[in-house]
Amino acid sequence: MTKDFKKDFIFGTATSSYQIEGAIAEDGRSPSIWDIFSKTPGKTYRGNTGDVACGHYHRYKEDIELMEKIGTGAYRFSVSWSRIFPEKGRFNPKGMDFYKRLIDELNKRNIKPVITIYHWDLPLWAYNMGGWLNRDSVKWFEEYSSRLFKELNESVRLWITHNEPLCASFFGYHEGIHAPGHKDLKEAVTTAHHILMSHGSAVRNFRKLRFKNSEIGIALNLIPSYPVSGSEEDKKASSVFDGQYNRWFLRPLFKADYPEDMKEVFKKLIGDFDFMKDGDMEKISVKNDFLGVNYYSRELIKYSPDSELEYKKTHGNFERTEMDWEIVPEALYKLILRLREEYTSIPIYITENGAAFKDKVSKDGKVHDGKRIDYLRNHLKKIAVLNQKGADIKGYFLWSLMDNFEWGHGYSKRFGIIYLDYKTQERILKDSALWYRDLIKNRIIK
Ligand code: BGC
């Protein structure tokens, strides 16, 4: 029987530091903007914080054992910047040691380490110096990422500079739903620019090291946008959404420019881009080894004259997850075709895909999360078909290895294939974990 996935297709899982580690004041870690934001009244579900989270900082061995049971070939995690540099310019070897131990343990078990350098937890010291609004943030990130390259080098298979720059900029600085909780469009556009610049400089420094077994790229959360009707207004609104969420990041990375239509939209609202300098776009559009795509859902968009960017999100008839996100595997399929047609032929990794559902432990002690299995199966089927057509998707990182701190939603949304009992820190493999194990073993989707 022909397999759906070739032998070298990588099946992994993904997490991020603040969402799972806990141990926020141990071994010299200093606070990040998420420590502050999560402790600000009203910002997270029931005031939940990442203080303890999954206790992964201490239980990482147990978690890696569970990965081994599931049979995953790779693990994507992020480094907490303020463990490595608790103050500007002060390296903290103890913080670094944690990641070295983690990586050793993974490599021992043949699980390829995949590092996200920045998954939103900016050190507070950096924020106090202006954060991503300060152009010097590019240099701070350079110092941090170069240190990681030097310390960890080729023990890391894939390096991802940034996770979802859209969220770090627009969600954190415009919508205010993520740390640091600002609501200013100009700040969002500025921070997006500096984050992209910092990606470019990190990749350039990485190249100087001439690693042979390590590659570098970025992970974007791409959200295909569909107009709710065929009206010109709705089509324009959908194009603005696409421009802000997708093209604002894809175009600078792959075509060395921001999209013209969106420059116009933003300039009308925030004035000239005084944060941009000559040569910036060349610095951003460096050659990447791969593109990471985080895909969860599409958005259905309607014209809305009252909102700043004149669009609003609405819903169609698709079934939705606990996040209220529509389940539309077909949109992932079309997204990849579009990336291939319009932007790039470099290898793609699906660096996140998964779903939150209302999971509970049944009387038999198990977690029967059939809906998650359906979600995963239907998305992975699309990936298999895409690869049969030559899409060159090299791997898949399921979000998430385990239930964790889901940002503003705190612990109320469970994305894991491992269930977390937050009172006891007990871990239980959900049915989806067993399903994933069988898929990895057989490489055939059932
Ligand atoms: C983020 C994760 C998050 C997941 C589910 C992604 O946008 O990278 O940190 O938990 O989506 O919301």
Side-chain angles (χ1 to χ4, degrees), residues 224 226 295-298 318 326-338 353 375 378-383 385-386 389:
Y226 292 78
Y295 174 83
Y296 290 90
S297 184
R298 66 153 196 181
F318 291 102
E326 294 181 344
I327 305 175
V328 194
E330 183 64 19
L332 168 64
Y333 183 84
K334 291 194 177 136
L335 167 67
I336 301 293
L337 294 185
R338 176 187 182 196
N353 177 242
Y375 179 100
N378 292 330
H379 285 81
L380 277 155
K381 268 189 185 164
K382 294 290 178 198
I383 294 168
V385 175
L386 281 161
K389 297 195 163 180

Side-chain angles (χ1 to χ4, degrees), residues 19-149:
Q19 294 183 274
I20 63 164
E21 286 178 0
I24 54 157
E26 287 182 50
D27 295 334
R29 178 190 183 275
S30 71
S32 81
I33 53 172
W34 265 98
D35 292 282
I36 306 303
F37 187 74
S38 65
K39 290 182 176 101
T40 308
K43 298 297 184 194
T44 64
Y45 174 81
R46 293 189 180 166
N48 289 173
T49 72
D51 284 8
V52 177
C54 310
H56 173 78
Y57 193 77
H58 295 293
R59 292 171 183 264
Y60 72 94
K61 278 195 183 157
E62 180 185 345
D63 291 333
I64 296 175
E65 271 164 31
L66 293 173
M67 291 177 212
E68 199 177 27
K69 264 195 191 151
I70 300 169
T72 48
Y75 173 51
R76 174 181 172 222
F77 59 96
S78 79
V79 174
S80 152
W81 186 345
S82 61
R83 286 195 197 281
I84 310 300
F85 284 97
E87 285 169 37
K88 184 175 178 310
R90 184 169 67 78
F91 174 64
N92 175 33
K94 272 196 171 172
M96 193 72 251
D97 277 354
F98 167 67
Y99 297 103
K100 287 189 174 166
R101 291 197 302 275
L102 177 74
I103 288 170
D104 279 353
E105 198 67 29
L106 288 166
N107 278 326
K108 236 196 275 168
R109 292 165 196 266
N110 279 326
I111 301 170
K112 293 185 178 68
V114 175
I115 279 192
T116 312
I117 300 175
Y118 185 73
H119 201 127
W120 311 347
D121 43 358
L122 186 74
L124 188 59
W125 62 257
Y127 177 71
N128 288 338
M129 296 175 74
W132 290 112
L133 283 167
N134 186 340
R135 197 171 161 104
D136 285 349
S137 55
V138 179
K139 285 193 213 136
W140 309 331
F141 187 77
E142 210 173 288
E143 183 182 28
Y144 164 52
S145 53
S146 294
R147 189 76 201 214
L148 293 186
F149 299 150

Side-chain angles (χ1 to χ4, degrees), residues 142 145-146 149 200-209:
E142 210 173 288
S145 53
S146 294
F149 299 150
S201 77
V203 173
R204 263 191 315 281
N205 287 328
F206 180 86
R207 296 282 176 235
K208 290 183 198 149
L209 300 167

Side-chain angles (χ1 to χ4, degrees), residues 254-359:
F254 293 108
K255 313 259 184 204
D257 197 5
Y258 287 116
E260 282 306 322
D261 60 327
M262 288 310 295
K263 277 199 245 180
E264 239 178 73
V265 170
F266 286 145
K267 281 186 179 172
K268 256 192 213 153
L269 295 164
I270 66 171
D272 274 345
F273 291 177
D274 50 12
F275 50 85
M276 272 182 75
K277 294 201 175 149
D278 280 354
D280 282 3
M281 298 320 286
E282 286 67 42
K283 289 186 181 144
I284 290 172
S285 57
V286 287
K287 187 185 169 298
N288 295 286
D289 296 319
F290 63 88
L291 170 66
V293 174
N294 295 357
Y295 174 83
Y296 290 90
S297 184
R298 66 153 196 181
E299 285 291 354
L300 194 63
I301 298 295
K302 188 175 170 49
Y303 171 63
S304 164
D306 310 328
S307 65
E308 201 176 8
L309 292 166
E310 302 194 332
Y311 69 71
K312 83 175 185 212
K313 300 172 183 171
T314 163
H315 279 307
N317 293 326
F318 291 102
E319 199 191 331
R320 296 182 221 158
T321 68
E322 264 298 286
M323 297 292 280
D324 218 22
W325 296 345
E326 294 181 344
I327 305 175
V328 194
E330 183 64 19
L332 168 64
Y333 183 84
K334 291 194 177 136
L335 167 67
I336 301 293
L337 294 185
R338 176 187 182 196
L339 290 173
R340 287 302 182 222
E341 232 174 79
E342 293 178 27
Y343 292 100
T344 183
S345 58
I346 59 173
I348 286 177
Y349 286 90
I350 303 299
T351 32
E352 282 180 37
N353 177 242
F357 290 106
K358 265 206 175 83
D359 300 315

